[in-house]
Amino acid sequence: DADVTQTPRNRITKTGKRIMLECSQTKGHDRMYWYRQDPGLGLRLIYYSFDVKDINKGEISDGYSVSRQAQAKFSLSLESAIPNQTALYFCATRQGDETQYFGPGTRLLVL
Amino acid sequence: QKEVEQNSGPLSVPEGAIASLNCTYSDRVSQSFFWYRQYSGKSPELIMSIYSNGDKEDGRFTAQLNKASQYVSLLIRDSQPSDSATYLCAVRSGGYQKVTFGTGTKLQVIP
């Protein structure tokens, strides 16, 4: 089984809908991250969490919210999706000074 | 100025040649440097990390770091078509160890 899983892998939704992207990890890492990737813009950090009680905004948090339900689970919500949130979304985990490990990604299309 | 800059490419090299990928960063107190490989539509995977000035070799890959020049590079010897991918440079710095990614260089290895 993969160490970092994301669901769904692909999602098509309409403008104004609320959607949730989920991330689970079996690595036992304390830190979890949500990134979005757009062509030409690279990976940009949306939110990150150092433990269940610690949630921090990244560089592009507007329009997004997160929930760290447990050490192993970190969910990203789009309260009212808009077309410019169409992107590839990655969850990542890290323990201390170790490197980051990425999930397989969720491809989101907002119509 | 972008925090981490890479030439977007594509960089085309013939099979068997050395591919040289470059990255510059703006934060002088950056501590850790990473190279990720990302195949189209897939998640980034770590291939090299480097923390001190000089060269670090791992198989066909060599990472080079020059903190005075704020420059990190990745050399791929005996390039193979399977090396064709986008290579992301990432830099970790700051009190909370923020990781910033470059936009990536697309490498094409021509058979």
Side-chain angles (χ1 to χ4, degrees):
Chain A
D1 288 340
D3 294 322
V4 184
T5 57
Q6 292 183 236
T7 56
R9 294 294 313 280
N10 294 279
R11 179 72 183 270
I12 300 174
T13 191
K14 294 182 179 180
T15 297
K17 294 291 187 181
R18 181 183 188 277
I19 67 165
M20 180 182 289
L21 309 183
E22 298 186 345
C23 176
S24 295
Q25 54 124 341
T26 58
K27 299 184 76 66
H29 288 174
D30 52 6
R31 303 181 185 194
M32 298 188 74
Y33 304 80
W34 275 105
Y35 291 90
R36 65 177 279 176
Q37 188 174 39
D38 301 90
L41 296 178
L43 282 161
R44 292 182 293 165
L45 183 62
I46 306 172
Y47 270 95
Y48 61 100
S49 169
F50 284 177
D51 64 40
V52 174
K53 297 181 180 180
D54 181 65
I55 304 289
N56 303 280
K57 293 182 177 180
E59 57 186 304
I60 55 162
S61 59
D62 288 349
Y64 302 95
S65 62
V66 291
S67 173
R68 185 85 182 264
Q69 301 96 323
Q71 187 195 31
K73 295 184 181 294
F74 193 35
S75 300
L76 176 72
S77 294
L78 286 67
E79 297 300 327
S80 180
I82 56 177
N84 77 359
Q85 291 177 312
T86 293
L88 184 55
Y89 289 84
F90 288 106
C91 174
T93 72
R94 191 175 118 211
Q95 180 71 28
D97 288 340
E98 294 182 7
T99 58
Q100 288 184 322
Y101 293 88
F102 286 85
T106 294
R107 192 171 296 278
L108 175 65
L109 174 60
V110 182
L111 301 176
Chain B
Q1 181 186 7
K2 292 182 180 178
E3 294 183 51
V4 180
E5 292 206 49
Q6 297 181 253
N7 187 318
S8 61
L11 172 66
S12 294
V13 299
E15 183 175 355
I18 296 175
S20 178
L21 305 165
N22 304 313
C23 172
T24 58
Y25 60 94
S26 60
D27 187 350
R28 285 193 167 274
V29 299
S30 296
Q31 303 145 340
S32 309
F33 307 85
F34 309 93
W35 284 99
Y36 286 83
R37 178 176 61 200
Q38 186 177 24
Y39 294 110
S40 181
K42 302 297 184 181
S43 58
E45 56 177 328
L46 180 73
I47 52 173
M48 289 287 289
S49 58
I50 187 166
Y51 305 99
S52 55
N53 280 329
D55 295 359
K56 179 181 178 182
E57 186 175 320
D58 184 1
R60 296 187 296 112
F61 299 97
T62 299
Q64 299 175 317
L65 175 61
N66 183 325
K67 289 187 177 181
S69 299
Q70 295 174 241
Y71 176 94
V72 58
S73 64
L74 179 70
L75 301 178
I76 306 175
R77 290 182 298 282
D78 189 23
S79 295
Q80 301 297 308
S82 59
D83 294 326
S84 297
T86 295
Y87 289 79
L88 305 175
C89 174
V91 176
R92 188 162 73 201
S93 59
Y96 60 91
Q97 304 257 291
K98 173 187 174 184
V99 176
T100 303
F101 288 84
T103 55
T105 298
K106 185 174 183 178
L107 173 67
Q108 296 176 339
V109 181
I110 311 301

